[in-house]
Amino acid sequence: MKRSFKTIISEGYEQFIKDIKQTKWAIIVIIAYFVFGRKFIYSICPLIMLTGYPCPSCGLTRAGIRLLHFDFEGAWHMHPFIYVVAILVFHYCWNRYIRLQLRQPKSMKILAGIALVALVIFYIYRMVRYFPGEPPMSYYSGNLLHTCKNFLANLFVQ
């Protein structure tokens, strides 16, 4: 039976609200983390806070914001994999909220795995080619390991 456009939107919206209700605590924790990180910490990335080195996905949030502002060139410059992420998110939402498939097809898992491997390869390329350079490929010296090393050095020198 063919579903009408109104039915597709209505059923997709209902599924979306169910998903939000089931994950409300995770959403609240993520929002709190971002608000806290923005207010009190120089970075919201745990890897940067710990080591000072950028992670493979460094720049994806900023690229996503630029993409939402239709700054396609800026999004590409910040992190080209934002387009892969956007395609995967669109594919997921299409299957979940339009086709109402509660389980994602195997092709989605394979695409996500390939994208993850490609992201790590691209990260290695960016580290060799651009590190340390302009953000996001910069070293942040206020990290926890650097601070601990300085603290221990000062402790044992005296």
Side-chain angles (χ1 to χ4, degrees):
M1 183 172 105
K2 212 170 185 183
R3 299 184 303 159
S4 70
F5 180 73
K6 186 177 179 180
T7 305
I8 291 171
I9 297 300
S10 174
E11 291 173 348
Y13 178 74
E14 287 176 22
Q15 184 61 46
F16 181 71
I17 294 301
K18 281 183 196 173
D19 289 348
I20 294 293
K21 287 179 180 177
Q22 288 177 345
T23 58
K24 68 181 172 218
W25 289 110
I27 293 169
I28 289 169
V29 167
I30 290 169
I31 290 171
Y33 176 77
F34 274 89
V35 168
F36 176 76
R38 237 5 220 171
K39 280 281 191 197
F40 302 107
I41 306 172
Y42 62 91
S43 175
I44 56 174
C45 178
L47 190 66
I48 287 177
M49 289 188 304
L50 183 64
T51 67
Y53 292 100
C55 67
S57 64
C58 228
L60 271 177
T61 303
R62 288 174 275 184
I65 291 168
R66 288 184 178 196
L67 192 62
L68 290 174
H69 286 105
F70 300 106
D71 179 10
F72 301 113
E73 185 179 338
W76 177 266
H77 176 71
M78 196 49 76
H79 203 303
F81 269 77
I82 190 60
Y83 295 103
V84 175
V85 171
I87 290 168
L88 288 172
V89 167
F90 176 79
H91 190 274
Y92 174 83
C93 290
W94 181 265
N95 286 327
R96 180 90 175 165
Y97 302 116
I98 303 298
R99 296 177 69 201
L100 295 176
Q101 290 181 339
L102 299 182
R103 296 186 65 135
Q104 291 297 310
K106 190 173 184 176
S107 63
M108 179 71 169
K109 294 175 184 176
I110 292 170
L111 285 172
I114 292 169
L116 187 61
V117 169
L119 179 69
V120 171
I121 292 169
F122 182 68
Y123 171 68
I124 293 168
Y125 166 76
R126 281 193 346 170
M127 288 297 283
V128 169
R129 177 87 167 92
Y130 298 111
F131 184 80
E134 65 184 65
M137 300 310 291
S138 304
Y139 177 75
Y140 301 90
S141 60
N143 64 73
L144 185 62
L145 290 178
H146 184 78
T147 304
C148 289
K149 182 187 97 176
N150 288 343
F151 174 76
L152 292 173
N154 289 336
L155 187 67
F156 291 116
V157 168
Q158 297 173 357

